[in-house]
């Protein structure tokens, strides 16, 4: 059974960089698209972007200038960096697989990142 | 970007009720639509993919329908464990976009 697990700091200061890693177990990361989705407290879901195992990426235009997603196939994990964060970036961040049907089939449990000084 | 308009945003219902949630896309998305259920503090769980295909392990009281711009999720007989928030997702084009959510309450 494929499992995804997010890890990283739960508190980030304004203007700094949010960094998260998603560890994938029970399957290889060398297939499909690997994505990040976020959800501010009490609000809806926002797609951040994806990375393919080749390193090809696609980002939400609303965040494109601040986002980098990278992948390490040797460690079977991928990562998110979001620069110059503000309180508006406070959210639960999920790592998710975009599977063979093209939608989001396997989700991590999510990790809350709070932006505050 | 494709906008997904979900309605209603919230609803009150009782056990045994038939519930229908709709999602409208701002442009045609064929059948590239999925439905998710989310309970408080949990990650979304996929219920339906390709507009009408039931995810393995999901009870048959859930069904999806529609194509192009109009879609619906129906729960034929609401059960206590179905009280949650439901989201649609279009994956016809990037950026992927979600509906605003429907909270189903008692």
């Amino acid at each position: 059974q494929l499992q995804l697990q997010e890890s990283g700091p739960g508190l980030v200061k304004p203007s700094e960089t949010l960094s998260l890693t998603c560890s994938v177990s029970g399957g290889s990361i060398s297939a499909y698209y690997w994505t990040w989705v976020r959800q501010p407290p009490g609000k809806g879901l926002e797609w951040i972007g994806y990375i393919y195992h080749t390193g090809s990426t696609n980002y939400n235009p609303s965040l494109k200038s601040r986002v980098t997603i990278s992948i390490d196939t040797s460690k079977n994990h991928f990562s998110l960096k979001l620069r110059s964060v503000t309180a508006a970036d406070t959210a639960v961040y999920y790592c998710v697989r975009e599977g063979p049907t093209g939608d989001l089939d396997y989700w991590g449990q999510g990790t809350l990142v709070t932006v505050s000084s | 970007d494709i906008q997904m308009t979900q309605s209603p945003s919230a609803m009150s219902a009782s056990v045994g009720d038939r519930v229908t949630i709709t999602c409208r896309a701002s442009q045609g998305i064929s059948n590239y639509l999925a439905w998710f259920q989310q309970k408080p503090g949990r990650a979304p769980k996929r219920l339906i993919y390709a507009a009408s295909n039931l995810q393995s392990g999901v009870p048959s009281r859930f069904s999806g329908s529609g194509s192009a711009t109009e879609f619906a999720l129906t729960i034929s007989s609401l059960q206590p464990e179905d009280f949650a928030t439901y989201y649609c997702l279009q994956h016809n084009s990037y950026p992927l976009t979600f509906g605003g959510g429907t909270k189903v309450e008692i």
Side-chain angles (χ1 to χ4, degrees):
Chain A
Q1 177 77 346
L2 191 72
Q3 292 187 323
L4 294 82
Q5 177 69 58
E6 306 87 353
S7 60
L11 181 65
V12 180
K13 290 183 170 54
S15 79
E16 296 190 345
T17 296
L18 179 159
S19 295
L20 296 173
T21 295
C22 180
S23 299
V24 179
S25 58
S28 173
I29 204 170
S30 295
Y32 305 118
Y33 294 84
W34 302 93
T35 74
W36 289 95
V37 173
R38 71 179 183 176
Q39 184 172 38
K43 296 188 178 180
L45 298 158
E46 180 180 33
W47 179 82
I48 298 171
Y50 75 65
I51 189 163
Y52 192 52
H53 69 91
T54 57
S56 170
T57 56
N58 191 343
Y59 301 134
N60 194 320
S62 67
L63 297 168
K64 187 174 184 177
S65 64
R66 300 193 291 131
V67 170
T68 301
I69 300 176
S70 58
I71 194 166
D72 187 334
T73 54
S74 67
K75 295 182 180 179
N76 227 43
H77 74 206
F78 63 107
S79 299
L80 169 71
K81 290 190 185 300
L82 181 64
R83 296 175 290 279
S84 304
V85 297
T86 70
D89 295 310
T90 293
V92 175
Y93 286 77
Y94 296 99
C95 58
V96 194
R97 188 184 82 163
E98 184 180 320
T101 54
D103 65 283
L104 305 178
D105 56 1
Y106 284 93
W107 294 65
Q109 64 184 26
T111 188
L112 174 64
V113 179
T114 301
V115 178
S116 175
S117 55
Chain B
D1 300 4
I2 296 176
Q3 308 303 317
M4 302 302 294
T5 303
Q6 196 172 330
S7 61
S9 57
M11 64 184 303
S12 295
S14 301
V15 173
D17 284 353
R18 181 181 182 88
V19 168
T20 298
I21 298 166
T22 63
C23 220
R24 174 175 294 174
S26 60
Q27 64 190 74
I29 60 170
S30 185
N31 68 336
Y32 295 113
L33 185 108
W35 288 98
F36 296 85
Q37 177 193 66
Q38 187 179 34
K39 296 182 178 179
R42 304 292 297 274
K45 170 189 171 185
R46 189 174 71 168
L47 301 175
I48 301 287
Y49 63 93
S52 61
N53 291 270
L54 192 66
Q55 172 72 27
S56 175
V58 172
S60 59
R61 63 181 179 272
F62 290 93
S63 64
S65 63
S67 66
T69 61
E70 300 284 340
F71 300 87
L73 172 70
T74 299
I75 309 171
S76 60
S77 178
L78 199 66
Q79 298 301 301
E81 60 267 32
D82 300 336
F83 291 95
T85 301
Y86 295 84
Y87 294 94
C88 61
L89 164 73
Q90 72 78 21
H91 58 100
N92 177 76
S93 63
Y94 295 103
L96 304 189
T97 47
F98 294 87
T102 296
K103 187 172 184 179
V104 178
E105 303 173 293
I106 299 173

